[in-house]
Amino acid sequence: MKNPIMIESRKPGEPKANKLTQLIQSISKMRQRVQVDRYEISKRLTALGLNEEIIDKLISHGIEPLWCIGFDHPIDISLPVDDQLELLYRYAYIEDAGHNWAGGINYKHRSDVLGLRLEDFLPRSIPENVSNLKKMIRANFSLTEFDSYEVYANGAEKIAYNLTLGIILDGRLYKILGVGREITEFKLTEKKLKKTQQRYRTVADFTYDWEYWEAPDGTLIYVSPSCERITGYKVSEFIERPELIFEIVLPEDRDIYYNHNHGIKDGTAIAPGQFHFRIQDKDGHIRWIAHVCQPVFDDQGNYAGVRASNRDVTNLRNAEQKAREYRETLAQLDRTAMLGQLAGSIAHELNQPLTGILSNAQAGELLLQQENSNTNEMQETLADVIADAKRAADVIRNLRSLFGMKEIDFKPLSLNAQIKEALRLLNSDFVINNVTIYTELSDALPNVMANGIQLQQVLINLISNAIQAMQQSTQAKRSISIITAKGNGSEIQVHVEDSGPGIDPERLEGIFEPLTTSKPGGLGMGLSICCSIAQAHGGRIWAENIPEGGARISFTLPAAEKTS
Amino acid sequence: MTDEKTTVFIIDDDPSARRGLSRLVRVAGMHVETYASAREFIERPHYDGCGCILLDVQMPGMDGLELQEQLVKAEYSLPIIFVSAHADVPDAAAAMKKGAVDFLTKPVDRDHLLKAIAESLEKDRENRKTLDNLARVRKKLAALSQREYEVMTYVIAGMLNKQIAYELEIAEDTVKIHRGRMMRKMNASSVAELVRLTEIVGVKPAEDGQQ
């Protein structure tokens, strides 16, 4: 027994060892040092001015619920733990107890509890009791604290906090003194709290996505263990070095990450936006992350940092990328095949009358060379040439009507509504390509006179071009601005601006010519179609580079005359 | 052009091309027949004279390539010149493989066309000459007796009368008689001429000790 007396340090929430327990401890200390039996003890106590009676009174009338266990036979504390436990249950009984303890376990008077066997209030059937007693045995009955699961007179099961001390002389246990206080309520509350805590913890720790809570000072309050699945880095690595999050973001995507919307602007919450960026995981793989975050406020409404959720969307992004490439290839093949087919059928249709024209003309030539040339034959030949030439002209006329060049339906349309519709159609492209859209749509615009389908075609073409132009660039900030304004006279202007690399000045001149393209695999028809549509509407189209960077394509449409 | 009657058959569904081409060929001095479909041409009575076909590739119903196939099967030996408004390499290759003289694309230049027609007619004349020869030799062969035919196969194998007599187990004089008659019937003045005639129809020389 090294130091069986007092443990000064105390965990918060534990009942204090009060003066009385200290007293008991000092008594036992004394007892251990001196002679063995009860008489000797009382003699010593008397010498200290404390007689048995005083102790008796202290125990029976003390405020603290005290108890004292005696034994039919003292227990040899050198025996194995299990044997000692056996003997405790066989020989131990309540030798003395305070009123408060007796009352606490629902007996009327302290005399009612005297002689109770251990089994009566600390049943062996409750595993905690066995383990607590063993704990006491292993500590050689030095000062031990434990929670006991006791059975009270009315059969109620309660939990009590106990501080116990054995009185040992010559390796034998004679008594155990203790103080026990019922803490059932406290325990149950604690248990409940623990369970709730556990539940929240489970919810947080087992989220599949990588979740974190960043404090206003930039430290991380919480990081979910799934961070390791996604990034390869452990929770502890993020907690220790919160800047790790920034470091693993790919340099090209850092601007996006730094400048993203945290769901808070000037101190007030706004709808959080989702955005995508790439990280490099611990093994060096590139992963796509879909990030969404919102501010956290405490009970008092104080800003408490940002709660973020990161989802690994690598597979999704890869699949989307593949699907898009596939779609583009198909569209490309389709366009090429269509053009080829178109060219073939145009050639066929025109070559027939051309055959007639050429053959007749060359026959005419031969006729003229012949001496007895037949005028009738000559006339017929020329008539055939004329008929065939007309037929060739018809072929071309039919072709034009086939492409709907004639019957375009112009209507007064709201330009801003048309732009919003185009933006809605392209929304998924913006999300996929991390493109931010800004609109400056003038409210004071009259309707434009336009064909809705063709206007959509122009808008979608120009915006898609802008997206593609920015794909080629390494610039992190990708934005497109759509601006509408009144132009000269009754003209309405539309500007589509991007933050891409701009247009090669050498190409700027002929950019609306057909078959001009800077895109690999592009047909070079997009802008030329836009140009012919703008012209068919009586408008203009032009391209320029913005001095601050990026390209601007503008076109005009005539305002519809106001009908009232 | 020779005195012999020649006809250029123009088969094309397109009226402009058909009229233009037929006028050009006619003005160039040839007799022309025009047809608006392959079917119409097939239904025409068999033509024995010299000529060629100017055939459009793409036509509704039976197209030019199908008609060519049918004519080849029927051993109709008129040479074919294809014309197409839609130059297609695989079509041209297929047509040439089956013996077309040329594959021209519309609009067809006069010089090309007349040159192709001239080549076709020349080819047709050759064909017809070969066919005539063949018929003549076959007629002579048919006049030979069994023994004379046998003797002929030994003669063109380069055997002497003595050897032939031995092979056929007959007297040498008898061989001489058969041989004389055979040469007269074949109208051949030498063994060399006999060999040339038999080659036209593909008579095989006898082999040593076979009979």
Side-chain angles (χ1 to χ4, degrees):
Chain A
M1 208 175 304
K2 277 152 209 154
N3 181 18
I5 302 305
M6 192 47 211
I7 298 164
E8 274 299 331
S9 64
R10 187 171 56 83
K11 288 181 218 153
E14 286 171 355
K16 280 182 196 168
N18 64 12
K19 279 184 181 165
L20 192 63
T21 32
Q22 283 175 14
L23 175 66
I24 295 164
Q25 284 154 16
S26 57
I27 294 167
S28 75
K29 191 176 175 182
M30 217 160 46
R31 282 178 178 176
Q32 283 160 39
R33 290 206 193 106
V34 297
Q35 250 303 339
V36 189
D37 76 337
R38 198 183 174 90
Y39 300 107
E40 190 63 29
I41 293 167
S42 67
K43 223 160 68 188
R44 294 285 171 127
L45 288 172
T46 313
L48 281 168
L50 288 168
N51 60 24
E52 193 89 354
E53 222 173 302
I54 293 171
I55 295 176
D56 201 48
K57 271 191 180 149
L58 273 175
I59 291 181
S60 56
H61 298 290
I63 300 161
E64 286 293 314
L66 296 170
W67 48 265
C68 174
I69 284 173
F71 297 97
D72 301 332
H73 296 285
I75 292 169
D76 181 352
I77 63 161
S78 64
L79 289 172
V81 175
D82 284 340
D83 292 0
Q84 287 190 56
L85 182 75
E86 195 60 41
L87 294 175
L88 279 178
Y89 273 101
R90 196 180 297 169
Y91 297 136
Y93 60 90
I94 294 290
E95 191 185 85
D96 205 348
H99 283 302
N100 277 352
W101 190 71
I105 63 169
N106 278 3
Y107 287 92
K108 269 186 189 147
H109 195 263
R110 60 182 285 240
S111 58
D112 296 337
V113 299
L114 298 182
L116 278 182
R117 308 304 290 194
L118 205 52
E119 179 66 36
D120 296 333
F121 61 95
L122 284 181
R124 263 178 112 164
S125 56
I126 296 172
E128 283 88 345
N129 290 336
V130 173
S131 67
N132 285 329
L133 288 171
K134 283 187 174 174
K135 187 172 155 194
M136 217 157 68
I137 296 166
R138 285 199 192 94
N140 287 331
F141 301 99
S142 59
L143 195 65
T144 310
E145 50 177 353
F146 59 85
D147 294 336
S148 59
Y149 293 78
E150 300 175 0
V151 177
Y152 293 175
N154 58 359
E157 289 179 19
K158 299 275 180 179
I159 304 166
Y161 167 76
N162 292 278
L163 198 62
T164 67
L165 184 69
I167 305 223
I168 295 158
L169 293 162
D170 293 340
R172 277 165 200 280
L173 175 70
Y174 283 87
K175 286 186 199 315
I176 302 172
L177 292 174
V179 55
R181 184 189 287 150
E182 197 212 311
I183 51 161
T184 312
E185 269 313 300
F186 172 77
K187 265 290 176 198
L188 288 180
T189 314
E190 193 187 56
K191 218 171 176 178
K192 235 188 197 160
L193 210 65
K194 232 179 180 170
K195 215 170 161 184
T196 313
Q197 218 175 15
Q198 187 67 41
R199 204 163 51 216
Y200 285 125
R201 191 88 199 167
T202 308
V203 168
D205 283 358
F206 285 83
T207 45
Y208 194 66
D209 292 343
W210 164 28
E211 310 274 348
Y212 65 79
W213 175 9
E214 187 189 313
D217 66 2
T219 57
L220 291 169
I221 298 167
Y222 176 79
V223 179
S224 70
S226 44
C227 66
E228 196 175 344
R229 176 182 67 81
I230 296 173
T231 67
Y233 294 97
K234 288 187 168 48
V235 173
S236 56
E237 292 176 88
F238 283 107
I239 298 280
E240 281 160 24
R241 294 184 54 243
E243 62 272 24
L244 181 59
I245 293 180
F246 296 90
E247 288 169 11
I248 60 176
V249 175
L250 286 197
E252 302 93 289
D253 290 356
R254 273 183 200 157
D255 273 3
I256 301 169
Y257 186 79
Y258 284 128
N259 300 328
H260 78 273
N261 155 14
H262 291 285
I264 184 162
K265 199 177 180 186
D266 306 327
T268 46
I270 56 170
Q274 194 189 61
F275 73 100
H276 292 189
F277 61 89
R278 284 161 295 173
I279 59 159
Q280 187 163 29
D281 71 12
K282 209 171 189 175
D283 295 334
H285 298 121
I286 304 296
R287 282 171 180 273
W288 275 101
I289 301 294
H291 176 99
V292 65
C293 59
Q294 60 176 357
V296 179
F297 298 96
D298 67 13
D299 292 345
Q300 280 79 48
N302 299 316
Y303 178 59
V306 173
R307 176 77 173 61
S309 180
N310 289 325
R311 173 164 295 185
D312 182 354
V313 290
T314 311
N315 290 343
L316 188 72
R317 288 291 301 235
N318 288 346
E320 272 171 0
Q321 181 70 24
K322 275 228 178 78
R324 209 177 44 223
E325 278 167 16
Y326 188 60
R327 256 200 327 262
E328 273 168 14
T329 313
L330 272 185
Q332 182 66 38
L333 281 176
D334 212 41
R335 279 195 298 257
T336 315
M338 218 178 71
L339 264 186
Q341 225 167 22
L342 199 66
S345 64
I346 293 170
H348 189 261
E349 285 300 306
L350 280 179
N351 277 335
Q352 302 290 18
L354 282 178
T355 307
I357 293 168
L358 183 61
S359 304
N360 277 311
Q362 291 188 324
E365 221 174 29
L366 281 183
L367 276 172
L368 286 178
Q369 287 164 14
Q370 288 165 6
E371 281 166 19
N372 51 346
S373 65
N374 182 336
T375 337
N376 280 346
E377 175 86 52
M378 197 61 211
Q379 255 166 4
E380 265 178 53
T381 306
L382 289 174
D384 277 359
V385 170
I386 292 163
D388 289 343
K390 281 185 174 166
R391 184 183 157 194
D394 280 346
V395 169
I396 291 168
R397 232 192 319 279
N398 287 340
L399 211 61
R400 288 175 73 89
S401 69
L402 185 75
F403 282 99
M405 308 286 259
K406 258 194 320 202
E407 293 168 49
I408 305 173
D409 191 15
F410 292 97
K411 267 190 218 158
L413 294 171
S414 156
L415 182 58
N416 291 349
Q418 292 289 321
I419 289 172
K420 282 172 193 161
E421 172 67 12
L423 293 178
R424 196 181 59 75
L425 287 172
L426 288 166
N427 189 45
S428 64
D429 293 69
F430 301 145
V431 173
I432 288 171
N433 291 291
N434 277 325
V435 173
T436 316
I437 294 294
Y438 299 101
T439 52
E440 288 172 39
L441 306 180
S442 168
D443 290 332
L445 291 183
N447 280 343
V448 293
M449 204 60 187
N451 176 275
I453 294 167
Q454 293 199 340
L455 181 52
Q456 287 292 326
Q457 204 178 341
V458 172
L459 288 168
I460 288 172
N461 230 318
L462 296 183
I463 298 168
S464 301
N465 273 352
I467 294 175
Q468 282 171 5
M470 290 189 290
Q471 268 177 349
Q472 290 168 342
S473 86
T474 50
Q475 231 156 327
K477 185 172 169 284
R478 295 174 182 171
S479 64
I480 294 176
S481 302
I482 319 272
I483 301 148
T484 57
K486 262 188 170 167
N488 307 329
S490 66
E491 191 178 77
I492 313 286
Q493 292 186 343
V494 183
H495 306 282
V496 178
E497 300 179 355
D498 67 49
S499 65
I503 303 160
D504 180 357
E506 283 178 22
R507 292 192 51 248
L508 209 48
E509 187 87 349
I511 196 161
F512 295 104
E513 297 290 319
L515 308 172
T516 316
T517 184
S518 64
K519 287 179 270 180
L523 266 189
M525 294 301 285
L527 283 177
S528 98
I529 289 171
C530 289
C531 181
S532 51
I533 291 176
Q535 284 170 353
H537 280 72
R540 299 174 291 126
I541 190 164
W542 66 98
E544 59 203 320
N545 283 320
I546 306 168
E548 299 84 51
R552 179 193 294 132
I553 312 273
S554 311
F555 65 95
T556 63
L557 291 170
E561 282 185 16
K562 273 184 186 165
T563 48
S564 51
Chain B
M1 295 299 134
T2 57
D3 298 342
E4 190 186 8
K5 189 199 172 192
T6 58
T7 305
V8 178
F9 299 91
I10 296 176
I11 309 172
D12 195 325
D13 64 306
D14 188 86
S16 295
R18 197 168 62 236
R19 277 177 72 85
L21 290 171
S22 76
R23 172 168 291 119
L24 181 58
V25 176
R26 195 154 33 79
V27 172
M30 282 165 282
H31 182 246
V32 177
E33 284 184 24
T34 58
Y35 299 90
S37 74
R39 182 67 48 201
E40 275 179 36
F41 177 75
I42 286 174
E43 281 162 4
R44 182 202 188 282
H46 194 278
Y47 177 72
D48 274 333
C50 178
C52 68
I53 302 173
L54 207 55
L55 182 55
D56 187 26
V57 179
Q58 285 141 328
M59 288 187 290
M62 187 189 294
D63 70 18
L65 295 172
E66 283 173 82
L67 177 63
Q68 181 192 28
E69 205 162 315
Q70 292 232 350
L71 295 180
V72 169
K73 264 189 207 156
E75 293 187 0
Y76 214 138
S77 65
L78 284 176
I80 297 172
I81 303 160
F82 277 100
V83 284
S84 173
H86 192 24
D88 191 336
V89 175
D91 278 358
M96 297 306 282
K97 232 180 199 167
K98 292 207 178 89
V101 177
D102 214 337
F103 194 100
L104 307 174
T105 51
K106 289 180 179 174
V108 189
D109 182 68
R110 179 179 63 202
D111 293 345
H112 279 136
L113 181 68
L114 295 182
K115 190 170 158 250
I117 291 174
E119 269 173 31
S120 298
L121 294 178
E122 187 54 39
K123 189 181 173 189
D124 189 43
R125 272 180 216 111
E126 293 268 309
N127 283 349
R128 292 155 59 78
K129 209 183 273 171
T130 314
L131 280 175
D132 282 353
N133 286 341
L134 205 67
R136 233 172 290 134
V137 178
R138 281 198 178 130
K139 205 172 166 189
K140 289 172 187 164
L141 281 178
L144 298 180
S145 72
Q146 173 73 25
R147 220 19 150 192
E148 286 161 1
Y149 190 93
E150 270 178 321
V151 169
M152 180 184 73
T153 63
Y154 286 103
V155 172
I156 60 175
M159 286 190 191
L160 300 173
N161 289 343
K162 207 181 274 179
Q163 289 168 299
I164 299 170
Y166 175 77
E167 288 291 337
L168 293 178
E169 295 172 8
I170 52 174
E172 198 184 333
D173 283 349
T174 320
V175 172
K176 276 182 187 168
I177 294 165
H178 285 309
R179 182 174 181 155
R181 281 193 193 138
M182 179 270 291
M183 290 299 273
R184 232 177 292 119
K185 282 181 180 171
M186 291 302 290
N187 197 20
S189 53
S190 65
V191 174
E193 199 181 341
L194 181 69
V195 169
R196 194 183 59 77
L197 286 175
T198 50
E199 266 174 1
I200 292 173
V201 287
V203 175
K204 280 187 184 139
E207 284 170 42
D208 260 342
Q210 280 281 306
Q211 279 182 311

